[in-house]
Amino acid sequence: MDSLIPLFVIIPLGIAFLIPLIWKLIPSVFKYLPATGILFLLVLAFYILIANGNETLIYKVGGWEPVKNVPIGIHLVVDGLAASMLIIINLIGFLAGIYAIPYMKKFTGENYFFVLFSLMVAGMNGVVITGDLFNMFVFLEISVISSYALVAFGSSKDELEASFKYQVLGGIASLLILFALAITYWYTSTLNMSDISHLLKQAPVNKVTIFIQLFLIAGFGLKAALIPFHAWLPDAHSSAPSPISAMLSGVLIKAIGIYALLRLFFNMFRVTYEISIIITLIGVLSMVIGVILAIGQWDMKRLFAYHSISQMGYVIMAAGIAMIILAKGGNRNIAILSLTGGLFHMFNHSVFKGLLFLNAGSVEYATGTRNLKDLGGLSEVLPVTSATSLGASLSISGIPPFNGFFSKLIIIIAAIEGRFYFLALLAVIVSIITLASFMKVQRYAFLDKLKKGGSNIKEVPFLMCFSMIILVILCLVMSLMAIPGIRETFLMPAVNSLISLKM
Amino acid sequence: MLNYILCFVLFLVGLYGVLTRKNIIKIIIGLCIMEYSLNLFFIMIGYIKGGVAPIVDLSSSQNVKYVDPLPQAIVLTAIVIGLATTALLLAIAIKLYKKYKTFDIDKINNLKG
Amino acid sequence: MKGMTSIVKKVSALISGLVFLYGCYIIFHGHLTPGGGFAGGTIIAGSFILLIIANGIQYFRLKKEKEESSLAEGAGILFFLLFAAGGLLLTAHVFFRNFLPYGTPGNLLSAGVIPLYNIFVGIEVAAGLLSIFLAFVIYKKED
């Protein structure tokens, strides 16, 4: 089992470099290669989570054993949180890869698209399985550079400008992260994450660690598009081709932004009170400002992109509440509950935000426009798209029995029990405003009267419908994860790797 | 100590270039200056007084001090990453010029809101 | 873009062979002296780019050149990956393991599989940089 861990990186990289060599020989089959590889990895990730949920698998690359208890070489570490993130990345990667097969027929240069897509998935897989700081930086750069090229794929005016803004801000973020890494190496002279956590346990919390943590918040906050670092997100996520928007908003901002923040702040550094106040404040601001900016949008994908900021604010606020309670030495169970809600909401958001972006792509494929003022009455001509879009909209607004309701409920209950009444009230108000903006989308796009010339719009091809139907079924099935029996197998290993459940 | 502060000043010079210049090529040059300053900073961390280059030479005497080789490997990788970022930025800049006929970033704001 | 004067053309034709040889030297001795795959690959790419700039782009059939160098880049990295994965399959089930015999340190044929890694990385970097340069030049030519 241990030796299968590098396959998560080998298989997408191998497919990415195989396609330019053989795409002329098998011109219609090479599009299915990335999806097949990612399906195999999805099954493997599921097996790893179910077979050993709470244990940690460690794999030493190159076979370098530790010398006198000092680790040398790169270790690949898969624990509960990494296994859950692997499932989400490969799931959305597989479904977006299937969706892209008919969608990309409208673009030229399809073989480059699948090469970059496989590279992006390889990079994201690498970020979550590695246990070494600089290795994480290298895989982060691989996935982020592929996403810069994918955002600019169609070469229209909007896409190029959005990609340029994304690249400059992303480049500054990577440099800030590298600077924090350099100071960490200077302070501890090792790069292994578990070794650094042992060394920092013995040293008191001092100015150097707070300096490093502030730079890490700035760098990873720019990658995860939290307020005030969000300026690139609406342009980049709305101008990209739709399967790429689903991948960017569904997994990229989580795997390289939120996952890295949680891993470094819970496992590597010790939680301090000042940093946790900063994180909670950023979370609350993202939640509120994201949804206020989202209501006034008339472009469908831009509205969804602003909602991504708001939902990520939920996750960061829940993590911040857990950190405040741990730093002040309060009731551990409330911290565990809050972090459970935050992680559950992160997984749910991948599923329903991916579905929303795929719906927007279907609308654009069928009608050619994304502006809400030009659309109307699409529920008669696009039945699958409008049904799945209704499911996703109810899910993001938090209506039972969809999965968004349960995760938001857990976060609000944890906030009330920890006596953060104002934060719970803000969470409820933001949820109501989210419901209002999605009712606006449903009314203008799907429920009005059909405009002129609209009767010759056909339903989208079968492979695109397949992805959307599977995602909406998952929206309903994932709400079962809140039941105590199933929760122990699927959700608690992730929480256990950040805050240890026994103690 | 002075050399680390000068590295940080170089980083701030690059950041000033990215923030205040209006020409796209000057923004890209500012980003490159920031990368150079970080590579320099990383190399200077590994220096030990009186150390030699970390290559094993069997004919020399024992107890010779080597400088830290790990930052050197890290900086090699970071230079390659910087190269890839710069190449992609320049390709996007060329295509932007073809579409908008100008390099001025004030005139390239089609996306608003 | 026309070429440069005939002095530049003759001198660059003489020098680029030497530059290519120097790049190969840096790649092959990567485990003994500083350098290795990436630095040597950049120098080899430099020798090709020198020829193209000195002689002008009307002189070459650039589209065919670009396709071949893209192919070389893909092949280089694929063989690298195969050798790395070979450690996984053949011996000890460890990825990236050094599975060819070591020699005595200081010889040219030593250190297991590292010289082979250097060669493949050198091919891949040279082909990659040449592809980037050709992509820029072809774009200007079709303006």
Side-chain angles (χ1 to χ4, degrees):
Chain A
M1 180 57 68
D2 279 5
S3 51
L4 293 178
I5 295 183
L7 277 181
F8 283 102
V9 172
I10 298 179
I11 290 185
L13 267 183
I15 292 178
F17 290 116
L18 196 61
I19 291 183
L21 295 177
I22 63 173
W23 75 283
K24 287 217 170 108
L25 302 173
I26 41 173
S28 58
V29 180
F30 76 92
K31 294 184 253 199
Y32 293 88
L33 269 179
T36 318
I38 299 177
L39 179 64
F40 171 68
L41 289 178
L42 175 65
V43 172
L44 188 62
F46 238 116
Y47 180 62
I48 289 182
L49 181 65
I50 297 185
N52 34 6
N54 282 328
E55 302 162 8
T56 312
L57 299 172
I58 303 185
Y59 181 85
K60 305 180 179 53
V61 175
W64 297 97
E65 299 291 330
V67 169
K68 290 188 204 149
N69 283 341
V70 172
I72 50 178
I74 298 178
H75 292 191
L76 300 178
V77 175
V78 175
D79 54 5
L81 181 64
S84 311
M85 290 297 301
L86 279 174
I87 292 180
I88 289 288
I89 292 172
N90 290 323
L91 178 75
I92 306 290
F94 168 62
L95 290 172
I98 293 275
Y99 184 93
I101 296 173
Y103 188 85
M104 298 311 284
K105 287 203 172 89
K106 295 198 166 177
F107 292 79
T108 57
E110 282 181 293
N111 53 337
Y112 298 123
F113 176 82
F114 287 104
V115 170
L116 289 168
F117 188 79
S118 302
L119 271 178
M120 195 164 78
V121 173
M124 282 194 284
N125 276 344
V127 167
V128 300
I129 63 178
T130 184
D132 180 87
L133 274 181
F134 190 68
N135 204 13
M136 185 170 77
F137 177 73
V138 169
F139 277 118
L140 188 139
E141 285 297 296
I142 291 179
S143 63
V144 145
I145 290 181
S146 318
S147 75
Y148 298 154
L150 281 172
V151 166
F153 198 73
S155 301
S156 64
K157 273 183 166 186
D158 290 345
E159 294 180 13
L160 291 173
E161 177 195 343
S163 175
F164 185 75
K165 282 189 207 172
Y166 180 25
Q167 273 184 283
V168 170
L169 284 172
I172 296 183
S174 304
L175 292 173
L176 289 174
I177 295 173
L178 189 60
F179 187 60
L181 238 80
I183 300 198
T184 308
Y185 181 69
W186 199 12
Y187 190 57
T188 57
S189 67
T190 177
L191 284 174
N192 199 348
M193 282 190 207
S194 60
D195 204 21
I196 295 181
S197 74
H198 281 304
L199 285 171
L200 288 179
K201 268 196 190 32
Q202 298 154 10
V205 172
N206 54 355
K207 295 189 201 127
V208 178
T209 51
I210 296 193
F211 185 71
I212 299 175
Q213 282 178 293
L214 285 174
F215 269 89
L216 283 176
I217 290 181
F220 286 118
L222 265 167
K223 296 282 189 205
L226 306 169
I227 304 278
F229 309 114
H230 68 289
W232 56 272
L233 187 120
D235 297 333
H237 285 200
S238 63
S239 316
S242 289
I244 299 303
S245 287
M247 285 292 284
L248 280 179
S249 203
V251 277
L252 196 79
I253 58 178
K254 294 177 190 51
I256 63 181
I258 313 268
Y259 165 82
L261 265 180
L262 294 178
R263 175 70 82 191
L264 292 180
F265 280 28
F266 276 98
N267 279 348
M268 218 171 77
F269 297 102
R270 295 200 309 188
V271 272
T272 59
Y273 183 63
E274 294 88 9
I275 300 284
S276 49
I277 293 282
I278 293 178
I279 289 190
T280 315
L281 192 65
I282 289 181
V284 171
L285 279 177
S286 306
M287 206 168 71
V288 172
I289 296 182
V291 79
I292 290 179
L293 285 171
I295 276 208
Q297 300 294 323
W298 286 105
D299 182 359
M300 230 166 128
K301 283 168 79 166
R302 228 172 145 89
L303 191 140
F304 296 158
Y306 272 113
H307 275 295
S308 280
I309 304 178
S310 161
Q311 304 295 313
M312 284 299 105
Y314 266 101
V315 177
I316 293 288
M317 184 183 81
I321 289 177
M323 282 171 77
I324 291 182
I325 294 179
L326 280 180
K328 287 194 119 163
N331 192 352
R332 255 178 104 84
N333 290 329
I334 305 180
I336 291 178
L337 189 67
S338 171
L339 198 60
T340 307
L343 287 178
F344 192 24
H345 196 69
M346 190 166 81
F347 300 146
N348 289 343
H349 180 255
S350 307
V351 174
F352 53 65
K353 190 48 71 77
L355 179 56
L356 280 173
F357 272 108
L358 294 184
N359 281 334
S362 302
V363 167
E364 192 172 4
Y365 185 86
T367 64
T369 174
R370 296 196 310 249
N371 199 347
L372 282 177
K373 291 183 182 154
D374 297 336
L375 300 168
L378 291 173
S379 63
E380 306 163 6
V381 283
L382 299 175
V384 175
T385 308
S386 56
T388 50
S389 162
L390 187 65
S393 303
L394 291 178
S395 190
I396 194 172
S397 319
I399 310 282
F402 290 97
N403 51 359
F405 169 69
F406 291 103
S407 55
K408 287 192 186 181
L409 186 67
I410 296 180
I411 295 178
I412 294 176
I413 289 180
I416 291 180
E417 280 193 14
R419 313 233 202 98
F420 298 100
Y421 298 118
F422 185 58
L423 297 183
L425 182 67
L426 276 179
V428 173
I429 293 179
V430 164
S431 192
I432 296 177
I433 303 182
T434 313
L435 178 63
S437 61
F438 276 94
M439 286 303 113
K440 166 180 167 177
V441 169
Q442 290 293 94
R443 179 219 182 259
Y444 277 100
F446 292 107
L447 294 176
D448 227 350
K449 279 198 302 284
L450 201 55
K451 295 236 184 321
K452 244 196 305 228
S455 47
N456 53 356
I457 301 178
K458 287 197 299 288
E459 182 60 81
V460 291
F462 168 68
L463 285 175
M464 292 159 80
C465 293
F466 173 73
S467 301
M468 293 195 284
I469 293 176
I470 290 201
L471 277 174
V472 83
I473 293 177
L474 270 175
C475 275
L476 285 168
V477 165
M478 274 174 84
S479 58
L480 292 177
M481 262 170 49
I483 300 178
I486 305 182
R487 193 170 68 204
E488 305 299 326
T489 329
F490 285 100
L491 196 55
M492 293 322 242
V495 182
N496 188 20
S497 59
L498 291 176
I499 309 180
S500 151
L501 284 180
K502 330 179 211 317
M503 260 263 293
Chain B
M1 199 57 199
L2 186 63
N3 43 2
Y4 298 116
I5 296 186
L6 282 177
C7 262
F8 197 60
V9 168
L10 194 62
F11 185 83
L12 290 178
V13 165
L15 192 61
Y16 172 79
V18 171
L19 291 176
T20 60
R21 293 298 157 210
K22 301 240 182 302
N23 196 347
I24 286 187
I25 304 291
K26 293 187 182 173
I27 294 179
I28 297 177
I29 292 179
L31 208 62
C32 280
I33 293 181
M34 283 164 71
E35 280 166 29
Y36 297 157
S37 83
L38 272 185
N39 292 339
L40 201 58
F41 181 71
F42 226 125
I43 285 279
M44 284 199 292
I45 284 178
Y47 179 65
I48 300 181
K49 256 200 167 92
V52 296
I55 297 181
V56 173
D57 193 10
L58 287 174
S59 57
S60 68
S61 59
Q62 311 290 346
N63 287 344
V64 60
K65 269 199 287 195
Y66 294 119
V67 291
D68 200 355
L70 188 61
Q72 301 188 359
I74 289 178
V75 164
L76 205 61
T77 312
I79 292 177
V80 176
I81 292 175
L83 164 77
T85 307
T86 308
L88 200 57
L89 267 171
L90 284 173
I92 300 273
I94 291 180
K95 290 211 107 164
L96 265 180
Y97 184 73
K98 191 158 191 252
K99 298 274 176 183
Y100 281 92
K101 301 286 185 289
T102 175
F103 268 136
D104 193 352
I105 207 164
D106 277 342
K107 299 194 176 49
I108 306 179
N109 52 353
N110 211 12
L111 296 166
K112 298 193 211 349
Chain C
M1 173 174 106
K2 287 211 284 281
M4 306 202 176
T5 60
S6 54
I7 296 182
V8 178
K9 282 187 195 173
K10 290 293 177 203
V11 172
S12 71
L14 286 174
I15 287 190
S16 72
L18 289 176
V19 172
F20 184 84
L21 196 59
Y22 180 61
C24 285
Y25 163 76
I26 287 193
I27 292 181
F28 284 133
H29 286 256
H31 54 289
L32 300 170
T33 58
F38 179 68
T42 318
I43 294 175
I44 290 182
S47 81
F48 282 116
I49 293 178
L50 178 65
L51 277 178
I52 294 181
I53 291 185
N55 284 328
I57 59 178
Q58 275 106 0
Y59 199 66
F60 295 92
R61 290 184 1 213
L62 289 172
K63 270 257 164 63
K64 183 165 171 298
E65 190 85 21
K66 179 165 184 304
E67 282 171 11
E68 284 176 6
S69 79
S70 288
L71 204 72
E73 172 186 6
I77 196 73
L78 197 64
F79 279 114
F80 176 87
L81 209 60
L82 279 175
F83 255 95
L88 183 72
L89 302 169
L90 291 180
T91 67
H93 297 286
V94 173
F95 190 44
F96 264 112
R97 180 145 196 135
N98 209 347
F99 62 91
L100 294 178
Y102 303 174
T104 58
N107 278 358
L108 193 55
L109 293 175
S110 60
V113 78
I114 291 186
L116 286 169
Y117 280 166
N118 276 340
I119 294 176
F120 290 132
V121 169
I123 295 177
E124 200 259 332
V125 168
L129 282 175
L130 195 60
S131 295
I132 293 179
F133 177 73
L134 285 172
F136 283 152
V137 164
I138 290 179
Y139 191 76
K140 175 161 188 358
K141 191 170 156 192
E142 294 172 351
D143 211 321

